[in-house]
Amino acid sequence: MAKESPSPSSSSMSSVLRAYAAPIFIFVLAMFFQLFLLPRSFPTSHYDVLGVKTYGSVDDVREAYEAIIASKWNSDSGDARPADFIKIQYAYELLTNPVWKRDYDLYGIDESLHIIEELEKQYAVEDFANIKIPLLEAVSYEPEREGFMAITSQDFASKFQDSKPWLIQLYSSGSNSSAQFSMAWRRIVDLLDGVANHAMVELGDVRLVTYLAEKKTTGQVLFRNGLPSIVAFPPQCKTADCLIRFEGELSTDAVTDWFATTVLELPRVFYHTKETLVPKFLAKVPPNKVRVILFSQTGERATPSVRQAAKDYWNFASLTYVLWREEDASFWWNALEVESAPAMVIMKDPGLKPVVYHGSGNRTWFLDILEQNKQLQLPQLSSTTSMELGCDARGYSRAGFETATWYCSVLVGRQSTELNKLRETMCRVQDALSNHDESDEASKDPSVAPAASAHKNKRLTLAWLDGEVQSKYCFFYVQSETSYDTCGTRKSPIDVPRILIIRYHRNATESANVEKKSSNWPKTVWESEADDVDPAAQLVVSYDGPAETPEIIKWLSKMVEDGDSKNLPFYRAKTPELVPESTEPMRSGVPKSVKATQALLRLWNRIKDYLADPRMGPTLLLGALLSAGSVWWTRSRAIQQPVQTTQQSSTNQSDNNTEEEKKKERKRRNAKGEEAPASITDNEPKDAVQILSSGSDSD
């Protein structure tokens, strides 16, 4: 049996449905939004409960409330339900309080709405007369009495004069949650002291609140997470275009961590245990940085001031926290001589005894200790410290511009145990020279006095150099067959650190000539090679004695004495540039994973705002109409085109038929012998006569 083909009407209907599928879908979506989603976004207002027009006055609210109570809520009424009475009483108390009514009318804030559901459950089986009123407890919150700074729209612009960041709280004087947050806000303000400015804005300042608060797609002010609302202006930010909004839990720890991480982009200071302190912190800190260990008794996050200090002193020190436990007290006492928490331990050069500070001082005390201990006892000679230390032939002595001769004793070598031991020895040498007292008769040792005097007068500087990182600089001064044991990449297990002393001598006449030449016309080809040298002459001597403090001091004194008294050779050369050291990367700001989560959350909030936008229904309906019109127009054009093509083909066919009929008629006449009329296309008519013109050749 043959399969029946679909009827033309059913196939036509299915094609129409397929063509109009998109407009139909958009129309259904518009109806679903308008009839189901939108009403849920706009529940019954408290004005509707009392039968008062929206934004009605307080007097209107009182009159409506009294009328309802008098007509329905009396002792003789049998249909009086406690749930209805709770809603009416709640609406009355809310709308007769001027601050609550203002917040509800302007911003849609109703932070006690959950009370209705709680009271309905509590008084579900009781008579409404047993309900205790008032349902709401009025709050009067005045931050000015607590010393918090409040700003208004009049003085807002004048407050942003410096480059410091700002943390601003939007609050309501009648908000219970704002009053409860006051203690946490006090702690936050204390933690941000010296790091950021702070202020508070009351919701009564509509102009400033509208400028700072979040807004819906309709432009209405929105407090998505209720009150109080926290916003921040990053450093150098002066407008609302760059402000950052806090969207987390309102707690001291959450707000301060958000402000330090997101707004200030400060590095985190992590906690370590006694098991992880050495492998994950002490072993990974670069050798040119001071190690700072902070012992905490509470385990709370690092304060913004500590994190700011970690950022400011990043090139000098690395900070970490350790949670103090009583069971670990003996371990910390034996390792670092820490008795209790809070405490601060500073570890400098290898082998030196750590410096311990007990107690919890203020921010100034903490920063003063960091500033005093930011440098290693034996400083590192690097690209950033060479001029400061006076170990640069292109610079001048730390003693001043007028000093002609100065010295720099440098310990060079690769990172190794041998280098650390010799660094410890050089630290003792530096302490001995610093503590040398010339007034003491016992200290007037001729083998110590020259070096001690030069060190005191800042003509002698002690430092150490990483021979592997600064390989060119190291090879320039260590010119021997065994220099590869000290400088460059390690090629053998042998590491031989060396102590050098460099004598810098600046000739005043030569320096004047150099300055004069540099101020004249550009150098010629013949002069450039000769003049491209350091202004100060250098003379380098290597120490070959035992690694003992007295012997090294005697050798330094001998070198200083000879350099000051003898007419030594005047060698000038071009010192290699010091290579910039690779610094430890500072991980600051919000991690990428957290940023992605926050971006998704903001996108979801934006979608919810659009779902609550009353303009979306008409917009979707208009889109459905436009889409249907577009489909109709496209289909109409498609139908008209085949009709025109058919008509054109019919016309062409009729023309062809007419031509064929004419040809057949001519053939039929020719077949009957009928004479056809003359035509210009004939070769020559039978009765044709040629007439010559007067101007022809026959004349």
Side-chain angles (χ1 to χ4, degrees):
M1 182 176 180
K3 185 177 181 181
E4 295 183 357
S5 61
S7 63
S9 60
S10 62
S11 61
S12 176
M13 180 60 67
S14 62
S15 64
V16 171
L17 290 177
R18 285 196 301 270
Y20 286 92
I24 293 173
F25 174 77
I26 299 176
F27 177 79
V28 173
L29 188 62
M31 292 298 100
F32 177 77
F33 179 87
Q34 200 71 17
L35 298 177
F36 296 98
L37 292 181
L38 194 60
R40 298 179 63 182
S41 302
F42 293 89
T44 303
S45 69
H46 298 306
Y47 289 100
D48 297 332
V49 173
L50 296 174
V52 181
K53 65 179 181 179
T54 307
Y55 308 130
S57 64
V58 176
D59 294 335
D60 295 339
V61 171
R62 287 198 178 97
E63 292 177 2
Y65 174 77
E66 292 172 357
I68 293 175
I69 295 299
S71 62
K72 184 178 181 181
W73 300 97
N74 52 63
S75 57
D76 298 332
S77 177
D79 59 346
R81 297 194 317 156
D84 296 336
F85 177 78
I86 290 172
K87 294 178 181 178
I88 293 174
Q89 182 66 28
Y90 182 91
Y92 168 73
E93 293 182 12
L94 177 72
L95 297 178
T96 53
N97 185 299
V99 179
W100 292 346
K101 185 177 186 300
R102 178 204 67 190
D103 297 344
Y104 183 72
D105 292 346
L106 295 178
Y107 313 113
I109 296 176
D110 185 9
E111 62 183 18
S112 301
L113 187 61
H114 63 280
I115 293 179
I116 295 179
E117 184 178 354
E118 295 175 0
L119 293 177
E120 287 179 353
K121 294 179 180 179
Q122 181 179 354
Y123 297 103
V125 296
E126 296 185 15
D127 184 25
F128 76 92
N130 297 328
I131 299 176
K132 298 179 181 180
I133 56 176
L135 303 179
L136 304 177
E137 182 179 355
V139 177
S140 180
Y141 177 48
E142 298 180 4
E144 293 83 356
R145 293 184 177 181
E146 301 182 19
F148 298 129
M149 184 178 69
I151 58 175
T152 62
S153 55
Q154 286 75 22
D155 58 359
F156 178 75
S158 61
K159 296 294 184 180
F160 285 76
Q161 299 299 327
D162 55 11
S163 59
K164 270 189 176 183
W166 278 82
L167 183 68
I168 300 177
Q169 177 191 164
L170 304 179
Y171 77 99
S172 172
S173 58
S175 170
N176 186 42
S177 58
S178 297
Q180 293 176 354
F181 186 67
S182 61
M183 295 299 295
W185 182 254
R186 167 64 66 188
R187 176 61 176 162
I188 293 171
V189 169
D190 293 339
L191 292 175
L192 294 179
D193 183 30
V195 178
N197 299 321
H198 60 87
M200 301 181 68
V201 177
E202 216 278 327
L203 295 191
D205 195 336
V206 180
R207 180 182 176 186
L208 185 54
V209 171
T210 305
Y211 180 73
L212 296 175
E214 188 178 3
K215 299 175 184 62
K216 296 182 180 179
T217 55
T218 58
Q220 182 183 359
V221 173
L222 171 66
F223 291 96
R224 195 181 303 276
N225 298 323
L227 291 178
S229 179
I230 308 294
V231 297
F233 286 86
Q236 308 297 336
C237 176
K238 305 292 183 182
T239 64
D241 297 333
C242 52
L243 69 79
I244 304 175
R245 205 173 308 279
F246 177 70
E247 299 175 351
E249 177 188 359
L250 284 172
S251 64
T252 301
D253 182 71
V255 174
T256 52
D257 181 62
W258 163 80
F259 190 82
T261 303
T262 306
V263 181
L264 299 179
E265 296 185 350
L266 298 178
R268 295 184 179 275
V269 181
F270 296 100
Y271 273 80
H272 288 286
T273 63
K274 65 178 183 180
E275 291 81 13
T276 63
L277 181 64
V278 174
K280 293 188 177 182
F281 177 71
L282 297 180
K284 292 186 177 181
V285 176
N288 61 320
K289 296 178 68 173
V290 176
R291 300 161 177 81
V292 181
I293 306 173
L294 303 173
F295 284 84
S296 172
Q297 199 167 12
T298 61
E300 63 181 3
R301 294 178 188 266
T303 62
S305 59
V306 173
R307 296 176 64 173
Q308 183 66 51
K311 180 179 180 179
D312 295 339
Y313 289 88
W314 187 263
N315 294 327
F316 303 96
S318 293
L319 282 69
T320 190
Y321 268 98
V322 170
L323 178 61
W324 176 266
R325 293 187 177 91
E326 291 298 331
E327 56 269 24
D328 298 333
S330 60
F331 173 82
W332 295 120
W333 169 254
N334 296 328
L336 302 173
E337 296 187 0
V338 178
E339 297 178 354
S340 61
M344 180 177 178
V345 179
I346 298 178
M347 302 177 66
K348 293 187 177 182
D349 301 74
L352 294 186
K353 185 178 180 180
V355 182
V356 182
Y357 298 88
H358 288 92
S360 58
N362 55 20
R363 175 176 174 271
T364 304
W365 173 82
F366 174 71
L367 294 180
D368 288 343
I369 292 178
L370 278 183
E371 183 64 26
Q372 295 171 8
N373 297 277
K374 69 177 183 179
Q375 296 286 1
L376 298 172
Q377 184 168 343
L378 184 68
Q380 183 189 24
L381 178 58
S382 62
S383 59
T384 58
T385 62
S386 60
M387 296 291 289
E388 178 184 355
L389 297 175
C391 300
D392 196 320
R394 289 158 293 188
Y396 297 95
S397 169
R398 293 189 302 149
F401 295 150
E402 302 300 327
T403 303
T405 305
W406 67 97
Y407 305 88
C408 185
S409 179
V410 184
L411 168 63
V412 296
R414 290 186 290 260
Q415 295 295 332
S416 60
T417 305
E418 292 78 8
L419 178 65
N420 290 338
K421 291 181 179 179
L422 207 49
R423 282 178 62 184
E424 182 179 352
T425 303
M426 292 301 292
C427 287
R428 291 195 295 267
V429 170
Q430 185 169 252
D431 287 339
L433 295 178
S434 301
N435 298 328
H436 181 77
D437 189 2
E438 296 181 355
S439 61
D440 188 3
E441 293 294 334
S443 300
K444 292 182 178 180
D445 186 354
S447 63
V448 179
S453 177
H455 186 267
K456 181 179 181 181
N457 296 331
K458 298 182 179 180
R459 291 196 309 117
L460 174 61
T461 302
L462 276 66
W464 70 277
L465 178 79
D466 191 328
E468 184 174 3
V469 176
Q470 307 292 346
S471 58
K472 291 184 179 180
Y473 197 87
C474 181
F475 281 121
F476 178 78
Y477 288 109
V478 182
Q479 299 181 3
S480 64
E481 296 179 356
T482 59
S483 58
Y484 283 96
D485 296 339
T486 306
C487 308
T489 305
R490 182 180 285 105
K491 298 180 179 180
S492 64
I494 301 175
D495 288 299
V496 182
R498 302 171 185 266
I499 301 175
L500 310 176
I501 186 169
I502 307 170
R503 174 184 179 268
Y504 298 97
H505 181 74
R506 182 171 57 87
N507 188 296
T509 304
E510 187 68 20
S511 299
N513 293 335
V514 171
E515 294 178 0
K516 183 177 179 180
K517 291 179 181 179
S518 61
S519 62
N520 292 334
W521 292 96
K523 301 175 183 179
T524 64
V525 177
W526 310 107
E527 295 175 330
S528 59
E529 183 177 356
D531 294 336
D532 191 16
V533 293
D534 298 326
Q538 302 178 67
L539 187 61
V540 183
V541 181
S542 177
Y543 177 69
D544 295 328
E548 297 178 1
T549 303
E551 298 298 326
I552 296 175
I553 293 177
K554 292 180 180 180
W555 174 75
L556 290 175
S557 296
K558 176 64 175 174
M559 294 298 102
V560 171
E561 183 180 9
D562 292 345
D564 290 344
S565 60
K566 296 181 180 180
N567 187 15
L568 299 176
F570 191 88
Y571 297 109
R572 296 182 62 198
K574 179 65 176 179
T575 308
E577 296 284 347
L578 285 166
V579 179
E581 292 76 10
S582 58
T583 59
E584 183 184 6
M586 183 171 61
R587 298 179 179 88
S588 60
V590 182
K592 293 182 179 180
S593 58
V594 178
K595 286 184 178 180
T597 304
Q598 294 175 350
L600 291 176
L601 180 61
R602 285 192 293 268
L603 178 61
W604 173 240
N605 290 333
R606 181 58 62 181
I607 292 174
K608 290 193 297 184
D609 292 343
Y610 278 113
L611 293 178
D613 192 339
R615 300 172 299 180
M616 287 299 297
T619 301
L620 290 173
L621 183 59
L622 178 61
L625 295 176
L626 293 176
S627 178
S630 175
V631 173
W632 174 83
W633 174 257
T634 304
R635 287 175 59 83
S636 299
R637 294 289 300 273
I639 293 174
Q640 291 176 1
Q641 188 68 23
V643 172
Q644 294 177 357
T645 304
T646 303
Q647 292 176 352
Q648 183 68 25
S649 61
S650 300
T651 303
N652 296 336
Q653 185 67 29
S654 62
D655 293 342
N656 294 334
N657 293 336
T658 303
E659 185 67 28
E660 289 179 359
E661 289 177 358
K662 290 181 179 181
K663 290 181 179 180
K664 289 180 179 180
E665 181 65 21
R666 285 196 297 268
K667 289 181 179 180
R668 186 177 60 80
R669 289 179 179 180
N670 293 334
K672 292 180 178 182
E674 296 181 359
E675 187 175 347
S679 172
I680 61 173
T681 59
D682 293 340
N683 294 329
E684 183 177 357
K686 296 179 179 180
D687 56 350
V689 178
Q690 184 174 5
I691 301 176
L692 299 175
S693 61
S694 58
S696 62
D697 295 337
S698 61
D699 293 341

